[in-house]
Amino acid sequence: MFETFDDHRSRYASGGIVQTLPSELIDSIWLIIDLDLKGFIPLTNLLTFEVQNNHGRVTLLFSQAQSQIELGVDLPYRYSDLYPQKVYVYDDGQQQTILLPSETR
């Protein structure tokens, strides 16, 4: 058994994420996990973030399977229709990766 989303393990963003999300949003996802979720909500090894348009700015809406807890975080970054609607964050016990739903097996 391992502690999910331990910030001492390697963290990555998939090629699809790097091509579709700016680094500020990628970094924001890791910060939300570390500062807002970890220690407050029991986390599974697969997290979901919806990228939403909130009056031209980005809101990231966290959720996970088998949980009714959701958390929306408003960010100061401009929203783009080119951003993916949903991203996953997966922890396999060795490394953690942000990826597009289309990049899952």
Side-chain angles (χ1 to χ4, degrees):
M1 190 75 174
F2 65 92
E3 179 183 3
T4 56
F5 296 100
D6 178 353
D7 63 354
H8 292 96
R9 285 198 299 275
S10 298
R11 289 181 164 175
Y12 301 96
S14 70
I17 290 294
V18 171
Q19 291 176 353
T20 59
L21 279 182
S23 60
E24 298 86 17
L25 288 179
I26 295 169
D27 292 343
S28 293
I29 291 171
W30 294 124
L31 285 172
I32 291 167
I33 292 169
D34 292 339
L35 300 177
D36 298 321
L37 300 175
K38 197 82 174 105
F40 297 103
I41 299 170
L43 299 176
T44 63
N45 67 332
L46 181 64
L47 311 179
T48 302
F49 286 89
E50 290 182 34
V51 183
Q52 300 180 337
N53 183 353
N54 183 6
H55 305 290
R57 300 287 181 198
V58 172
T59 292
L60 292 175
L61 179 64
F62 156 80
S63 64
Q64 63 183 346
Q66 286 100 32
S67 175
Q68 295 182 359
I69 297 172
E70 292 185 345
L71 174 72
V73 179
D74 297 329
L75 298 173
Y77 307 114
R78 288 183 188 218
Y79 178 82
S80 170
D81 289 330
L82 300 176
Y83 294 162
Q85 291 181 337
K86 184 182 291 188
V87 300
Y88 294 137
V89 187
Y90 179 68
D91 184 343
D92 70 4
Q94 300 295 317
Q95 63 188 26
Q96 302 158 34
T97 307
I98 302 173
L99 63 158
L100 297 171
S102 63
E103 295 175 308
T104 62
R105 297 180 209 181

